[in-house]
Amino acid sequence: MPTGGKLVSTGSHDSFSFYIDEASPVGPEQPETVQNFVSVFGTVAKKLMRKWLATQTMNFTGQLGAGIRYFDLRISTKPRDPVNELYFAHGLFSAKVNEGLEEINAFLTDHHKEVVFLDFNHFYGMQKYHHEKLVQMLKDIYGNKMCPAIFAQEVSLKYLWEKDYQVLVFYHSPVALEVPFLWPGQMMPAPWANTTDPEKLIQFLQASITERRKKGSFFISQVVLTPKASTVVKGVASGLRETITERALPAMMQWVRTQKPGESGINIVTADFVELGDFISTVIKLNYVFDEGEANT
């Protein structure tokens, strides 16, 4: 049975951004220019920001039902929040973290053989006690569903099913070294192309896969284009989906179709607006190609 590093899984980029709270303050990670823009133009500025910050339309339950199994999670505190609540955040704030994690857990409880990857890869405004709160939240919600950190090569569906593990939590903070069920962030690298050019993105993705052969870990291919400031200005009222994602989708999907899973191939593929085209089914089908190849060797 293929191991975690050989299977191909589908993932969503900024998985929580289906909900953006326009009434919230700007996230603490945003540059001063953005802070000033919002302070001057208020709600109008936030509505425009939302068009570029929202990279998904389906909630967690919808994504899971469609086949998404990797979640890109970014966590923040709110300035001057007396209860120290934790929120998902991408420029503006999204839902409370506990609500999203509970939603994912409800799906797992109903689908005992499904496995998800939760990748906590950015933390904003978080002190030690915030991390302690998040770790306790994970324990309370997922409990024995969480797989302790082991070598990536040892992870197979057979192993996870035998142990009743359904959740692998990756945590990009030194805190991961202190908690057995947190996998260090370096075991889930996600190279970022940072380009609006589909051709450059594809070149970057291919080069990253070649580099991956040196790493004994899981690996993310971000089939994601990132708008430059000039792109946002030109398409300010249209938004990310219409201006970039939909136009580039055919070329990006063609690249995905030519890929193979395995230790020298793709592993987890993430995208914006995962319902577009046939992204999810195309990625999942690659596993059957791998099975056929294994049978013929």
Side-chain angles (χ1 to χ4, degrees), residues 11-20 29-30 49-50 52-60 63 68 70-75 88-92 94-95 119-124 190 192 220 222-227 240 269-275:
S12 53
H13 171 237
D14 280 319
S15 307
F16 50 85
S17 64
F18 54 85
Y19 171 66
I20 299 290
E29 84 285 5
Q30 291 299 298
M49 285 177 68
R50 187 185 186 284
W52 290 92
L53 295 173
T55 63
Q56 306 299 333
T57 56
M58 292 192 291
N59 63 15
F60 289 125
Q63 291 181 43
I68 296 299
Y70 164 91
F71 295 92
D72 165 19
L73 306 174
R74 304 161 191 227
I75 313 301
F88 298 115
H90 183 215
L92 295 171
S94 181
D119 190 7
F120 294 85
N121 53 58
H122 287 73
F123 301 101
Y124 306 113
W192 176 40
I220 299 170
Q222 297 194 66
V223 188
V224 170
L225 292 171
T226 305
L240 178 67
V269 186
T270 64
D272 292 331
F273 306 107
V274 292
E275 74 279 8

Side-chain angles (χ1 to χ4, degrees), residues 100-112:
L101 300 184
E102 292 277 13
E103 187 177 344
I104 293 169
N105 187 53
F107 177 88
L108 296 175
T109 299
D110 289 339
H111 301 82
H112 297 292

Side-chain angles (χ1 to χ4, degrees), residues 46-175:
K46 290 180 183 178
K47 286 185 180 297
L48 292 174
M49 285 177 68
R50 187 185 186 284
K51 286 178 174 288
W52 290 92
L53 295 173
T55 63
Q56 306 299 333
T57 56
M58 292 192 291
N59 63 15
F60 289 125
T61 302
Q63 291 181 43
L64 285 159
I68 296 299
R69 294 296 179 266
Y70 164 91
F71 295 92
D72 165 19
L73 306 174
R74 304 161 191 227
I75 313 301
S76 182
T77 59
K78 278 185 180 177
R80 297 173 296 281
D81 179 6
V83 296
N84 291 311
E85 189 62 75
L86 300 177
Y87 295 86
F88 298 115
H90 183 215
L92 295 171
F93 288 90
S94 181
K96 293 178 181 179
V97 172
N98 68 301
E99 294 174 354
L101 300 184
E102 292 277 13
E103 187 177 344
I104 293 169
N105 187 53
F107 177 88
L108 296 175
T109 299
D110 289 339
H111 301 82
H112 297 292
K113 287 200 169 184
E114 296 298 336
V115 176
V116 298
F117 303 91
L118 305 183
D119 190 7
F120 294 85
N121 53 58
H122 287 73
F123 301 101
Y124 306 113
M126 287 184 62
Q127 304 299 324
K128 186 173 184 289
Y129 58 89
H130 293 115
H131 284 286
E132 291 171 350
K133 179 174 182 173
L134 181 52
V135 168
Q136 188 60 50
M137 188 185 299
L138 288 164
K139 285 181 184 177
D140 292 343
I141 294 172
Y142 296 114
N144 293 332
K145 288 188 178 84
M146 291 186 290
C147 177
I150 55 176
F151 291 109
Q153 295 91 329
E154 296 177 14
V155 179
S156 68
L157 282 176
K158 182 174 183 291
Y159 170 82
L160 295 170
W161 288 342
E162 285 176 352
K163 302 283 189 180
D164 291 327
Y165 293 143
Q166 292 183 272
V167 183
L168 280 71
V169 179
F170 294 82
Y171 208 86
H172 296 244
S173 161
V175 173

